[in-house]
Amino acid sequence: MQETFSIIKPDATKRNITGSINMLIEKSGLRIIAQKRIKLNKDQAVQFYIVHKEKSFFNDLVDYMTSEPVVVQVLSGENAIERYREVMGATNPENAEEGTIRKQHALNVQENSVHGSDSIENAKKEISFFFKSEEIVG
Ligand code: CMP
């Protein structure tokens, strides 16, 4: 069993489709073992995406991620990190496969509805950025 970190992003909370996204997550066999709806502040968004600070889209990304609430989640399952990346589909929805969250719901490469960790190390970091261990109840 492995854990990964997920964010349902502002474009999705704004359109009231968090339930539809959770349905796709659960249909894939992943379990949502922790979840909360929060509004990121600028410091949190900057820290969370600090690896992208030199990218041309960084300021827009921070503005977008703080524009509306997000839902942060811990997902659990066999190979959860890779599995969730398959369920999300490609970062750019134009390249995402049929049936993926981003193919079905994302608007564009920035407003791409969901985030998922890309490695074991980042999953640990990202989970502990948002959740205390007692908030992960299984
Ligand atoms: P995510 O998987 O959360 O990781 C970084 C985020 O930056 C990404 O999803 C998108 O929301 C955004 N992003 C990535 N590439 C681009 C791009 N080329 N232009 C604008 N935003 C991007």
Side-chain angles (χ1 to χ4, degrees):
M1 280 295 162
Q2 193 176 61
E3 290 178 3
T4 192
F5 175 73
S6 161
I7 305 179
I8 303 180
K9 294 183 176 183
D11 69 272
T13 59
K14 191 175 182 177
R15 288 178 289 149
N16 204 25
I17 57 170
T18 61
S20 305
I21 291 173
N22 277 348
M23 198 172 73
L24 292 173
I25 292 171
E26 291 182 337
K27 257 174 74 181
S28 78
L30 290 165
R31 294 183 72 85
I32 302 164
I33 62 167
Q35 172 169 260
K36 55 189 173 187
R37 186 173 172 113
I38 58 174
K39 185 114 187 319
L40 294 183
N41 62 38
K42 189 173 175 186
D43 280 355
Q44 285 173 309
V46 165
Q47 273 316 306
F48 186 79
Y49 279 120
I50 200 75
V51 294
H52 296 300
K53 69 174 186 303
E54 304 303 334
K55 305 261 173 67
S56 58
F57 59 77
F58 183 70
N59 288 339
D60 282 348
L61 177 60
V62 170
D63 286 347
Y64 157 63
M65 290 300 294
T66 55
S67 66
E68 296 281 338
V70 297
V71 177
V72 291
Q73 305 175 307
V74 181
L75 310 181
S76 158
E78 225 168 275
N79 279 323
I81 295 169
E82 199 184 315
R83 182 101 203 81
Y84 189 44
R85 294 185 73 75
E86 284 167 13
V87 173
M88 289 191 297
T91 302
N92 187 340
E94 285 177 19
N95 304 325
E97 287 190 27
E98 285 302 330
T100 61
I101 294 171
R102 285 168 171 159
K103 180 71 180 183
Q104 283 193 35
H105 296 297
L107 301 176
N108 53 57
V109 71
Q110 176 180 268
E111 297 171 296
N112 62 355
S113 301
V114 280
H115 164 86
S117 307
D118 61 4
S119 66
I120 293 175
E121 190 194 352
N122 283 339
K124 283 198 180 120
K125 263 195 225 163
E126 293 175 359
I127 290 168
S128 64
F129 191 88
F130 286 106
F131 290 94
K132 300 183 189 127
S133 57
E134 63 265 30
E135 290 179 303
I136 303 170
V137 293

